[in-house]
Amino acid sequence: MAKQKKKKKYRGFWIFFKLQLLLFLLLAAGTGYYFAGGYAQTISQLKEDADFLVAKSNESIFRKGETGLVYGADGKLLKAYKGEKDSYYLEYKDIPDNVVKAFVSVEDRKFYKHKGVDYLAILRAVIAMFRNGEVTQGGSTITQQLARTVFLSNEVTWERKMEEIFIARNLEAKYTKNQIMEFYVNNIYFGNGYYGIQAAAQGYFSKSIDKLDLSQTVFLCAIPNNPSLYDPVHHKKNTIGRRNRMLSAMYEMGEISLTTSKEAKSEKIKLKRRKGIKKNDYVETFVNYCAVRALMKQQGFEFQYYFDSEKQEKKYNREYTKAYRECESSLYTSGYRIYTSINMKQQTKLQDAIDTGLESFQDVSDEGVYKLQGAGVTIDNTTGYVTAVVGGRSQDFEGYTLNRAYQSFRQPGSAIKPLLVYTPMVERGYTPDTLVADTPVEDGPSNTDGVYEGMISVRHAVKRSKNTIAWKLLDELTPVAGLSYLKAMNFTKLDPEDERLPVALGGFTIGVSPLEMAAGFATLQNDGCYREPTCIIKIEDTQGNLIYTSETEEEENKNAKKEQAEGTRIYKSNAARMMTDMLQTVMSEGTARGLGLGDMPCAGKTGTTNDNKDGWFAGYTRYYTTSIWVGYDQPQTLPGLTGSSYPGHIWHNYMTSIHENTTPMSFIPYIEQKEVDQDFAE
C-alpha cells in the first residue's frame, strides 16, 4: 500500500515536472519567435503610439464630434451628420447611479478593481474562441471600449487590439475611474444618431435621463452592446430582452432587490420620440446604407449573399451586423465628406410621379401610413450610379421611414423574364426570330389572355409576355442556370426553394427589390455588364484625404480601358443587344404599348403577379434605367393593377420629364446570328 502511494507521488511529480518543462519550452519558443519575427518592434511602436495619444489627450477630446457632410451630384450639400455630444454631455455627478450600476454589472464587473485590462476575461475569450472556432464572448473592459471608441478605427487586427490595451492602461493611469465612466457614458453609441445616454434619453423618451425610471434607464443601457440588434425603433423586443437580462445581472450583483428586478421587467416600454425630430427621408436612408457598405468594403469586409449551411449564414450575419454597426456609428463622428451621385432634380420628379400616380388612393393603416405604396430607382447608364431613389409616397408622420426601394422584396411577375429566361437563352443560340410553340403546358401555367397562338417567334412571345414560352424555355435552360445570372448580379433574397419552374413567371419565395431590378435592366443596356448600384462616388476625411473611392471612379481616374470600366460581365454583348431590341418591341407593339417616350428610343418590360397584388415596370433609354413597383405593404389584390397601369404610367411620366431637352439616342444594334457564327468560324 505504501509503495503504491509512493509510486503515485512520484508519478504526480513527473507529470508536474513535464508540464512545467513544456510550458518553459513554449515560453522560450514564443519569446524567440516574438523577437525574431519582428513582433517586438511592432508592439514597441504600438506602445509608443498609445503613450502619445493619451499623453496629448485632455477632457475636451471626449466631448468632440466632427460634423460629416454629404454632397449631391451637383456639389450642393444634401445633409450634415452631426453628433449631439456637446449639447447633451453629462458630468459624472449628473449621471444616475442606475446607469453606472447597469453598465458595470453587465459590461465590466471588475471595473473598479482592474487597471484598464481584465486579463482573465481576455483569456476566457481566447479559450472560447478556440473552443467554438469564432469569437463568442468579449474580453474588453469599459476602459478598452472607450479607447476603441475615441482613439481607434474599427479595423479588426491583433495590432489594433494591442494598441487598445496600451491605451486603456494609460487612460487608467491618467484619469480617475469616475472620469473614465463619464467619458464612456457620453461617447458610446445608442443607435439612430444618438451618442451618449442623455441624447438617447431625449431621443427615445423625450425626457432627460434623470427623469427616467429604472426600467427605462436599463432599457437604454441595453442598446450600446449592439445598436443594430438592440435598436429600440426597429427591434424593440430584442432591446427588452436584453434589458431583462441586465436587470437579472444587477440583482445578482446585489445592486437591486429581486422584487425591484421583477417590477422593472414587467414594465411596458413606450417610446416617445422627440417632437419635430427630423425623419430619415429616402435619400438619407439610402446614402447611409451605401456609405456604410463603402466603409465596410474599404476596411476589407467581404460581402456574401449565398451560403453552404445555416451555421455559415448565421456566422456571417453576426459579422456583418457588427461591422455595419461600427461603420454606421462612425458616420456621425468622423467628419467624413461623402460625395454622391444623387440628382435632386430627378429625385423630386420621381417622388412627384409616384405621389401623383397614386394620389387617388388615400386609405391609411393603423399607423397612419398609406396602404397602397410605390417605389422607384433610377440609374445613370453612363456611370452606373444611382441618381434617384424613392422608397414610398410622400407623407408626414412620425416613425421609421421604410425605404421600399431597397428594403422591400416583392414578387416581380413577368418583369423578371428578360433577366432570368430570355437573355440566357439568347446566349445559347436563340434569336428574336427563333420559332417556339405557344401551346398549353400540362401542369403548367396558362397565358394571361387565355390565347395560344401555336408557332410564334421569341420576339412575339416577349412582346405578348407569353407564360407558356417562358416556362418551356426555363425548363430547357433549368432554373439553376437561370438563377445563376441573378446571383451574379447580387440579387440578395434568392432561396434554395426558388430552384423550380415557377420562377420563370416571377414566383419567388421572397422576391426582389426595385434597386435590384433597376441594376439588372441597366446591365442589359450596358452591353451585359453589371455594375453595383450605389450612390457613393468617394469619401474623404476632414483633411481631404481619400478614404474610399468606387471602382468606377477609380478606373476613370486611372484612364482604364472602357472594357475594364464597364463592370462584371453577366451576359454576352450580342445577347444583351438582342434582348434590348425585343424590349423595344414591347414598348411599341406589346404589353407596354402607349408608354413610349416619343422620339426617344426606349426598352422595357411589364410585370404583374397573381391576383394583381404587385405591379412592375422596368425600362431604359441610352441615358437612364428606371424600375417602378406598386403594391400594398401587406400584399392584397388591387383591381386593375398591372405592370402597364399604375407602374407603367408612373414610369412614362417620370422618364418623359427627365429626358426633356435630351437628344434621342438609338441603342446599339445587335449582330445577326449567322454573322456571329461566321465570325466565330473565321
Side-chain angles (χ1 to χ4, degrees):
M1 192 73 175
K3 287 184 178 180
Q4 288 180 344
K5 288 183 178 180
K6 194 173 184 180
K7 285 182 179 180
K8 287 182 179 179
K9 183 178 179 181
Y10 280 120
R11 190 183 305 121
F13 169 79
W14 282 110
I15 291 174
F16 176 76
F17 176 78
K18 289 176 181 179
L19 285 173
Q20 294 299 311
L21 179 62
L22 178 61
L23 289 172
F24 174 78
L25 292 174
L26 287 173
L27 180 62
T31 303
Y33 185 68
Y34 171 73
F35 287 101
Y39 288 100
Q41 184 177 355
T42 300
I43 291 177
S44 177
Q45 184 61 53
L46 291 173
K47 186 178 185 306
E48 285 185 26
D49 293 342
D51 292 345
F52 175 76
L53 286 171
V54 177
K56 73 171 185 176
S57 72
N58 53 49
E59 293 183 35
S60 65
I61 197 173
F62 301 101
R63 295 173 178 259
K64 183 180 177 183
E66 296 283 357
T67 299
L69 304 174
V70 179
Y71 299 94
D74 58 2
K76 293 183 179 179
L77 185 67
L78 293 181
K79 172 186 170 54
Y81 291 104
K82 182 169 177 57
E84 299 171 307
K85 293 182 183 178
D86 289 332
S87 56
Y88 289 117
Y89 192 91
L90 288 178
E91 294 184 4
Y92 184 80
K93 62 183 178 60
D94 298 319
I95 300 172
D97 288 342
N98 284 330
V99 172
V100 176
K101 291 176 180 178
F103 282 127
V104 171
S105 296
V106 176
E107 296 293 338
D108 188 359
R109 293 191 175 188
K110 296 181 180 179
F111 175 69
Y112 291 105
K113 298 179 181 179
H114 61 63
K115 300 295 184 181
V117 182
D118 185 346
Y119 295 102
L120 286 177
I122 293 175
L123 180 61
R124 286 195 299 271
V126 171
I127 292 173
M129 181 184 70
F130 282 113
R131 182 183 298 133
N132 301 302
E134 59 180 298
V135 178
T136 57
Q137 56 181 273
S140 295
T141 62
I142 283 176
T143 316
Q144 285 176 261
Q145 293 177 45
L146 176 65
R148 181 166 63 245
T149 300
V150 176
F151 295 99
L152 300 173
S153 71
N154 297 316
E155 187 180 16
V156 182
T157 62
W158 72 267
E159 291 96 337
R160 196 220 64 181
K161 190 67 177 178
M162 285 301 303
E163 190 169 10
E164 173 189 304
I165 290 173
F166 289 136
I167 291 174
R169 290 170 56 183
N170 288 342
L171 287 173
E172 292 271 352
K174 184 170 183 175
Y175 300 105
T176 67
K177 289 288 186 180
N178 287 354
Q179 284 179 304
I180 289 172
M181 180 60 71
E182 175 186 316
F183 301 152
Y184 175 77
V185 166
N186 282 286
N187 279 272
I188 49 178
Y189 186 50
F190 287 81
N192 294 292
Y194 304 131
Y195 279 85
I197 192 75
Q198 184 71 304
Q202 294 285 0
Y204 293 121
F205 291 107
S206 297
K207 294 180 180 179
S208 60
I209 186 63
D210 62 324
K211 302 298 183 183
L212 301 185
D213 61 26
L214 173 65
S215 183
Q216 293 169 323
T217 298
V218 179
F219 177 85
L220 291 182
C221 293
I223 302 170
N225 180 267
N226 190 331
S228 296
L229 180 62
Y230 302 122
D231 186 327
V233 179
H234 310 146
H235 305 296
K236 189 176 178 181
K237 288 184 179 180
N238 293 347
T239 323
I240 290 174
R242 181 165 170 78
R243 176 204 65 178
N244 294 345
R245 293 192 294 274
M246 293 182 76
L247 287 167
S248 294
M250 292 174 72
Y251 162 68
E252 292 170 5
M253 290 284 290
E255 301 292 358
I256 58 176
S257 68
L258 181 60
T259 301
T260 301
S261 175
K262 288 181 177 179
E263 289 177 351
K265 288 179 183 179
S266 65
E267 181 179 324
K268 291 184 179 180
I269 297 293
K270 185 177 181 180
L271 299 181
K272 185 180 181 182
R273 306 295 299 277
R274 286 182 302 169
K275 295 293 183 182
I277 186 171
K278 185 182 181 300
K279 180 173 85 278
N280 286 350
D281 61 23
Y282 301 125
V283 169
E284 182 176 344
T285 53
F286 186 64
V287 168
N288 287 4
Y289 169 75
C290 292
V292 170
R293 286 174 64 90
L295 292 173
M296 291 170 68
K297 186 175 182 180
Q298 182 269 334
Q299 293 180 9
F301 188 88
E302 295 184 6
F303 296 99
Q304 188 175 346
Y305 304 103
Y306 305 103
F307 308 91
D308 296 328
S309 66
E310 185 177 343
K311 181 180 180 181
Q312 182 190 44
E313 182 175 4
K314 286 183 178 179
K315 179 182 178 183
Y316 171 84
N317 288 338
R318 286 196 299 270
E319 294 171 349
Y320 178 93
T321 300
K322 182 176 183 294
Y324 192 98
R325 181 252 301 176
E326 291 178 345
C327 290
E328 180 184 37
S329 66
S330 71
L331 287 180
Y332 294 91
T333 56
S334 299
Y336 294 129
R337 274 46 177 166
I338 302 172
Y339 297 86
T340 78
S341 55
I342 297 297
N343 182 322
M344 286 308 296
K345 290 183 179 179
Q346 288 187 6
Q347 180 71 21
T348 300
K349 289 181 177 180
L350 181 55
Q351 185 71 71
D352 289 345
I354 290 175
D355 290 343
T356 303
L358 304 178
E359 63 184 354
S360 61
F361 298 91
Q362 294 295 311
D363 290 345
V364 297
S365 66
D366 293 338
E367 292 76 29
V369 181
Y370 285 126
K371 289 184 177 180
L372 184 67
Q373 285 292 341
V377 175
T378 298
I379 291 175
D380 184 328
N381 289 330
T382 300
T383 64
Y385 289 121
V386 174
T387 56
V389 54
V390 171
R393 297 166 67 181
S394 294
Q395 199 169 3
D396 188 17
F397 65 94
E398 288 191 12
Y400 175 65
T401 306
L402 174 66
N403 195 326
R404 299 165 185 82
Y406 74 96
Q407 293 177 318
S408 291
F409 298 83
R410 303 298 288 264
Q411 305 301 311
S414 295
I416 202 68
K417 292 174 182 177
L419 306 179
L420 178 71
V421 181
Y422 285 113
T423 312
M425 289 305 289
V426 170
E427 282 195 330
R428 287 157 173 77
Y430 279 74
T431 73
D433 299 323
T434 300
L435 295 179
V436 289
D438 178 25
T439 55
V441 179
E442 185 177 354
D443 297 325
S446 59
N447 289 326
T448 305
D449 56 10
V451 176
Y452 302 93
E453 302 181 61
M455 299 304 293
I456 60 175
S457 67
V458 171
R459 182 188 299 277
H460 188 76
V462 173
K463 178 179 72 175
R464 303 301 303 168
S465 197
K466 294 285 187 177
N467 290 336
T468 55
I469 304 304
W471 183 282
K472 291 177 181 179
L473 291 182
L474 186 63
D475 192 18
E476 180 180 338
L477 175 67
T478 74
V480 172
L483 289 168
S484 69
Y485 289 86
L486 301 188
K487 288 182 177 180
M489 292 186 286
N490 296 334
F491 278 66
T492 59
K493 298 297 183 180
L494 301 183
D495 188 272
E497 293 296 319
D498 292 332
E499 295 176 359
R500 52 197 180 93
L501 291 176
V503 295
L505 315 180
F508 289 79
T509 304
I510 301 174
V512 301
S513 71
L515 178 68
E516 292 171 343
M517 289 295 283
F521 275 76
T523 299
L524 295 177
Q525 193 285 326
N526 195 38
D527 254 5
C529 289
Y530 168 83
R531 292 174 292 195
E532 180 183 1
T534 182
C535 66
I536 304 299
I537 297 174
K538 63 179 178 179
I539 300 176
E540 297 177 349
D541 64 16
T542 53
Q543 306 302 316
N545 299 311
L546 191 64
I547 299 297
Y548 167 86
T549 184
S550 70
E551 293 178 2
T552 301
E553 182 76 6
E554 187 175 6
E555 287 163 355
E556 289 178 357
N557 291 339
K558 292 180 179 178
N559 296 316
K561 294 179 181 179
K562 182 181 178 183
E563 181 66 21
Q564 293 174 316
E566 281 185 340
T568 303
R569 177 152 304 282
I570 305 297
Y571 306 107
K572 295 176 183 177
S573 294
N574 205 47
R577 294 175 187 178
M578 283 190 189
M579 192 70 250
T580 294
D581 190 76
M582 288 187 276
L583 293 178
Q584 284 183 267
T585 306
V586 173
M587 302 297 300
S588 60
E589 305 173 19
T591 56
R593 185 178 181 181
L595 298 176
L597 305 177
D599 295 335
M600 180 65 68
C602 57
K605 184 71 183 74
T606 57
T608 310
T609 63
N610 291 341
D611 301 322
N612 307 94
K613 292 181 178 179
D614 296 278
W616 290 81
F617 195 95
Y620 50 92
T621 65
R622 286 289 297 277
Y623 293 97
Y624 300 106
T625 297
T626 296
S627 70
I628 301 292
W629 164 82
V630 171
Y632 290 94
D633 283 336
Q634 299 299 321
Q636 66 182 68
T637 297
L638 174 62
L641 175 62
T642 64
S644 60
S645 62
Y646 302 105
H649 285 95
I650 291 170
W651 183 93
H652 167 80
N653 294 336
Y654 167 68
M655 290 287 274
T656 297
S657 69
I658 68 172
H659 283 85
E660 290 179 357
N661 302 319
T662 57
T663 303
M665 288 183 65
S666 299
F667 293 107
I668 302 173
Y670 68 88
I671 303 172
E672 294 290 346
Q673 190 63 39
K674 59 182 179 182
E675 296 179 44
V676 175
D677 295 339
Q678 181 63 32
D679 290 341
F680 182 76
E682 292 175 356

